[in-house]
Amino acid sequence: MQFLLDGGGPDRPMVLLAHGAGAPMDTPFMDGIAAGLAAAGLNCARFEFGYMAARRSGGPKRPPPRAEALCGEYIAAAEELAAAGPLIVGGKSLGGRVASLVAEELFRTGRAAGLACLGYPFHPPGKPERLRTAHLEKLAVPALICQGSRDPFGTREEVAGYALSPAISFCWLEDGDHDLKPRKRVTAASQADHIGSAAAAIAAWTRTLRSAA
């Protein structure tokens, strides 16, 4: 498995990030968040699920498997990475959802200290009744979700009504969409600003974790 690594210092907390459903691990968004995490004092490792890695070698552009089918790949990535410091699992959209499905096991067995999601897909766009939150209601692993306030996969107003575990904290990015991008007419912040704020929030939150201090 290939990793993209950012940061320095073997004892720093490591954030392992998986990509979203339709874009690889080296998009401008993923580059930005990785650089932001490294600048904030964390290590960051990115990897690709098999279906996305196959596209690089000329494979067919097929839809991603179900999130549950990718859990084994995520655990394998965490084990192969073998981070020296505390490990935070997470990802963008689908990657964050898969991480959230394996985080409890990794936390319980001492292999992960927390979960960090960027743009969690609480439901498909336009289908708020199809919630993907059942496992988040009893989550015990400390978690931080960085979410745009107008994300079509779960707005701030919608998420306020969900019965989520108290272990989950939020970093809301004003007027951000699923890629944390705000509208110029609404806020003076840019997408780069929001990505930087998300990285800083993850770093600050990581320092509150007992096993990552």
Side-chain angles (χ1 to χ4, degrees):
M1 185 174 292
Q2 292 187 333
F3 295 97
L4 286 180
L5 299 173
D6 293 86
D11 295 328
R12 289 182 173 187
M14 172 71 77
V15 182
L16 177 61
L17 294 179
H19 54 84
M25 63 180 172
D26 55 357
T27 61
F29 181 98
M30 296 292 282
D31 286 346
I33 196 70
L37 292 171
L42 303 177
N43 290 330
C44 180
R46 290 172 276 168
F47 77 99
E48 288 180 345
F49 294 117
Y51 80 91
M52 184 61 70
R55 295 182 184 181
R56 290 187 184 271
S57 57
K61 193 174 181 179
R62 294 173 179 166
R66 290 174 55 85
E68 292 78 3
L70 296 171
C71 290
E73 290 187 50
Y74 201 111
I75 291 175
E79 292 177 345
E80 184 174 335
L81 182 62
L87 177 66
I88 308 299
V89 295
K92 168 76 168 72
S93 193
L94 171 68
R97 184 181 175 204
V98 177
S100 74
L101 292 169
V102 303
E104 200 82 336
E105 175 186 343
L106 294 174
F107 179 67
R108 187 177 63 251
T109 55
R111 290 176 286 173
L115 165 70
C117 299
L118 297 151
Y120 185 85
F122 288 97
H123 60 73
K127 299 178 180 179
E129 73 284 356
R130 291 177 55 185
L131 288 178
R132 299 158 172 164
T133 58
H135 67 295
L136 300 181
E137 296 177 3
K138 298 181 180 180
L139 200 70
V141 56
L144 176 67
I145 298 177
C146 299
Q147 194 90 351
S149 65
R150 63 181 179 94
D151 191 329
F153 289 79
T155 66
R156 185 168 190 165
E157 291 73 19
E158 289 173 330
V159 173
Y162 299 157
L164 301 178
S165 164
I168 300 174
S169 302
F170 280 89
C171 169
W172 288 102
L173 288 310
E174 185 60 32
D175 198 58
D177 61 11
H178 196 51
D179 294 319
L180 308 186
K181 186 177 181 179
R183 294 167 292 187
K184 289 183 178 180
R185 61 181 174 83
V186 175
T187 174
S190 66
Q191 182 186 33
D193 292 331
H194 278 354
I195 290 174
S197 294
I202 292 172
W205 166 79
T206 297
R207 289 192 288 270
T208 71
L209 302 179
R210 189 179 311 166
S211 55

